[in-house]
Amino acid sequence: MTTEQSPASATSTRGDLRFLIIGAGMAGILSAIKLSEAGFGDYVLYEKADRLGGTWRENTYPGIACDVPSHFYSYSFALNPQWSHRFAPGSEIQAYFEDVARRYGVASRIRYGKQVTRCAFEDGRWKIELADGSTDTGDFVIAATGVLHHPAYPDIEGLGSFQGASFHSARWNHEVSLAGKRVGVIGTGSSAIQIVSAIVDEVGELTLFQRTPQWIAPAANPAYSDEEKTGFRKRPEAMQAIRAEVSRAFTQGFANVLVDAESPVLKLIHDTCVMNLENSVKDPALREKLRPSYRAACKRLVMSEDFYDAIQRPNAKLVTEAIERVEQSGVRTRDGCLHELDVLVLATGFHVDRFVRPMQVIGRNATVLDQVWKNGPFAHLALSVPGFPNFFLLNGPNSPVGNFSLIDVAELQCAYILQLVEQVRSGASDEVCASQVAMERFDAERKQAAKATIWNSGCKSWYLDRNGLPTAWPWTFDRFRHEMREPQLDDYEMRRRGAPA
Ligand code: NAP
């Protein structure tokens, strides 16, 4: 057994706190940069894979792009004049994170191929264990482990018997050529819609298996010209202006209204989607198959400028009959029809309630996080769990996730967490975590507010918990921004090391 501990950590003092960051995706890289800026030099990032980038490393399917405008889906302190399009493709975003990690000195702090399996709070510090048998200790853990990172495979009879190539959208097999092939795609979420649009011209036949139709919001994706990029380089304030405008528009015109199902703006969004469907799909029968029966933005809104074109191509087919089973040569639907395929893509989403798990997290008094979360994950203000001191989640349970820039969310959370860390650095406390009272109050208010959101207006989606209640931040984004400005210290339990419970 080896120990990854740095010499500094063995003699950690309040001015020399050690941070263990789990995950080297967008939020982990951000944490490292912000810790450095705050004067904390003793940190390490543990990354299970052999490359940084999180979701952008794992999702490499054709057509992958971020549907948040690029100048908004960028760190506020590292704007990028080189974005090629309004909505950047995934490979560009991956390259952006690699570049930022290198430029900010984070890349050299990442330990690759290091999967944290256990994290325990012992004698006032966190001890972590890794799959390779090594260990480390630190004063704080920052769990930047992502949200949509455990692919959900559909429970369809015979899936394993398929003789062609089959893979999940988040595990794309680039060895498999699609040229001229009969390709089936299961699912109609954001991933499937992007995939269908990207591959339809390459494949021989495309069959989209739709269980539930999606509302599609039109989203033009113009390229930035060389002149525009030069302009951004010379005048970064132009990028700041775009960022500020997109942030304002997203906040006021989208994030804030999703949490009020009665908002008239939601009606406008709905009408825009209806018009998009009416204007884009010529065949009335196909149009009706593509028309959802729930309100727009109840499921996460899908943005696309080309999906409706793609599904109307002569080589594309929409199948709405339920899937009966998968057979050696294709997918059999309930009407008895066998859809013969060479490749089957499972764009069937993710297990969204995992967060840090399967990592085992043991808090104060041997409290097991898995047990605490047995009825579903939660965290006070989405970042701290009572009984788990000096352990913070980024983009954790109950964070704002509905079509917003998760970078913005993580930046706000980081700034907030650093203020709690400051309580320890300043000597005011050794251990800090949300109090049980604050957690219960937050959770009760959150559940009440969730009922009024559009996500609760009568559809099934990954936003809902096992009781059918939306889990995402149910208030306006303005409120989130306000809450993240400064911790209410009364909501936190501050303890001296070794103090009785
Ligand atoms: P998703 O939205 O959860 O969609 C999964 C799809 O698979 C749904 O259409 C679902 O149908 C279908 N499905 C699941 N199991 C099935 C089964 N057994 N039989 C038939 N159909 C089945 O997953 P996703 O498309 O990967 O997107 C997940 C989230 O990732 C998005 O909502 C978004 O937040 C994020 N994302 C973002 C972007 C971006 O551009 N920023 C791109 C991709 C993904 P039902 O609707 O009937 O359940």
Side-chain angles (χ1 to χ4, degrees):
M1 184 178 282
T2 59
T3 295
E4 291 280 332
Q5 200 166 343
S6 78
S9 64
T11 55
S12 185
T13 66
R14 280 158 202 244
D16 192 15
L17 299 166
R18 179 165 170 78
F19 295 80
L20 309 172
I21 302 170
I22 305 178
M26 174 278 288
I29 295 166
L30 171 72
S31 310
I33 294 171
K34 291 296 164 187
L35 285 170
S36 275
E37 280 177 7
F40 296 108
D42 192 5
Y43 63 84
V44 60
L45 294 94
Y46 287 104
E47 170 53 59
K48 67 179 185 304
D50 59 1
R51 213 175 155 199
L52 58 79
T55 204
W56 303 104
R57 176 197 64 233
E58 294 196 353
N59 287 272
T60 60
Y61 59 74
I64 181 159
C66 185
D67 58 12
V68 175
S70 317
H71 287 294
F72 190 33
Y73 194 80
S74 311
Y75 295 124
S76 60
F77 52 86
L79 299 186
N80 176 18
Q82 295 293 25
W83 291 126
S84 65
H85 287 77
R86 179 180 293 161
F87 301 104
S91 57
E92 250 178 65
I93 300 171
Q94 172 69 20
Y96 167 78
F97 286 124
E98 285 174 355
D99 181 56
V100 171
R102 187 184 46 74
R103 285 195 286 124
Y104 283 79
V106 176
S108 58
R109 302 294 194 94
I110 304 173
R111 306 282 177 266
Y112 290 105
K114 295 280 188 184
Q115 182 174 6
V116 180
T117 53
R118 188 170 189 274
C119 215
F121 192 67
E122 293 172 1
D123 303 324
R125 298 193 87 211
W126 282 98
K127 179 180 177 194
I128 63 170
E129 294 174 15
L130 295 103
D132 64 4
S134 57
T135 62
D136 195 354
T137 53
D139 301 288
F140 284 87
V141 168
I142 297 185
T145 48
V147 188
L148 301 159
H149 61 123
H150 292 289
Y153 288 85
D155 186 14
I156 299 174
E157 186 194 327
L159 194 55
S161 68
F162 182 58
Q163 295 290 290
S166 175
F167 42 84
H168 191 276
S169 56
R171 297 286 181 271
W172 196 270
N173 184 348
H174 291 276
E175 305 282 299
V176 176
S177 163
L178 302 183
K181 299 269 176 63
R182 297 165 302 176
V183 178
V185 177
I186 301 181
T188 50
S190 301
S191 301
I193 297 305
Q194 290 181 337
I195 291 167
V196 166
S197 308
I199 68 174
V200 69
D201 288 334
E202 183 189 359
V203 304
E205 289 170 21
L206 190 140
T207 307
L208 177 62
F209 296 94
Q210 170 186 283
R211 186 165 69 181
T212 313
Q214 286 270 6
W215 285 114
I216 314 273
N221 190 17
Y224 284 114
S225 66
D226 287 344
E227 290 74 29
E228 283 173 304
K229 289 186 218 168
T230 306
F232 290 145
R233 249 191 316 277
K234 288 190 180 153
R235 291 188 307 109
E237 61 275 16
M239 290 184 285
Q240 288 289 9
I242 294 179
R243 193 175 203 281
E245 174 50 27
V246 174
S247 173
R248 192 201 57 75
F250 259 62
T251 302
Q252 304 306 333
F254 200 64
N256 283 358
V257 305
L258 296 175
V259 296
D260 173 13
E262 302 307 317
S263 164
V265 182
L266 282 172
K267 168 93 172 71
L268 290 177
I269 292 172
H270 188 88
D271 291 347
T272 304
C273 292
V274 172
M275 212 149 43
N276 190 29
L277 175 66
E278 301 289 349
N279 294 341
S280 308
V281 182
K282 294 189 198 80
D283 172 17
L286 179 63
R287 203 187 304 138
E288 291 321 302
K289 284 181 173 182
L290 289 166
R291 190 188 302 274
S293 57
Y294 54 87
R295 293 175 58 191
C298 181
K299 281 174 179 280
R300 190 202 192 256
L301 201 57
V302 174
M303 322 263 186
S304 176
E305 68 172 342
D306 43 18
F307 169 70
Y308 285 143
D309 281 350
I311 200 66
Q312 292 176 90
R313 291 278 213 285
N315 64 333
K317 183 171 68 175
L318 180 74
V319 172
T320 55
E321 197 67 39
I323 295 172
E324 175 82 29
R325 62 178 175 271
V326 175
E327 301 182 1
Q328 286 189 0
S329 57
V331 171
R332 174 94 54 193
T333 42
R334 289 232 177 108
D335 54 3
C337 184
L338 176 66
H339 304 269
E340 290 188 296
L341 301 169
D342 303 306
V343 180
L344 180 58
V345 176
L346 310 170
T348 45
F350 299 86
H351 295 291
V352 295
D353 63 348
R354 307 276 76 209
F355 295 98
V356 298
R357 297 173 287 183
M359 186 171 86
Q360 203 187 10
V361 184
I362 318 289
R364 199 182 266 151
N365 303 327
T367 311
V368 180
L369 187 64
D370 222 9
Q371 276 303 309
V372 174
W373 281 357
K374 64 179 187 297
N375 295 324
F378 56 82
H380 179 59
L381 291 175
L383 45 77
S384 175
V385 183
F388 294 79
N390 301 357
F391 180 96
F392 297 111
L393 298 132
L394 290 174
N395 292 123
N398 316 133
S399 273
V401 288
N403 291 69
F404 209 74
S405 169
L406 291 197
I407 296 188
D408 216 30
V409 172
E411 284 194 19
L412 291 164
Q413 291 175 329
C414 252
Y416 181 98
I417 289 167
L418 276 169
Q419 294 180 65
L420 292 173
V421 168
E422 196 53 41
Q423 293 297 312
V424 178
R425 171 154 69 178
S426 69
S429 172
D430 291 317
E431 301 173 8
V432 53
C433 65
S435 72
Q436 189 63 34
V437 171
M439 179 74 252
E440 284 171 13
R441 189 182 63 237
F442 172 79
D443 215 40
E445 290 174 4
R446 177 187 69 76
K447 285 177 175 151
Q448 187 57 33
K451 293 176 188 162
T453 64
I454 186 69
W455 311 310
N456 195 42
S457 65
C459 68
K460 284 195 185 145
S461 79
W462 64 262
Y463 287 149
L464 306 182
D465 66 16
R466 64 186 73 160
N467 300 314
L469 200 64
T471 59
W473 181 263
W475 300 287
T476 63
F477 199 77
D478 288 332
R479 174 161 168 178
F480 181 73
R481 210 181 277 286
H482 181 79
E483 293 277 7
M484 289 296 106
R485 274 200 314 214
E486 189 184 356
Q488 299 299 312
L489 294 181
D490 286 353
D491 288 347
Y492 288 86
E493 201 178 75
M494 308 279 185
R495 275 205 206 171
R496 289 284 172 205
R497 190 164 293 169

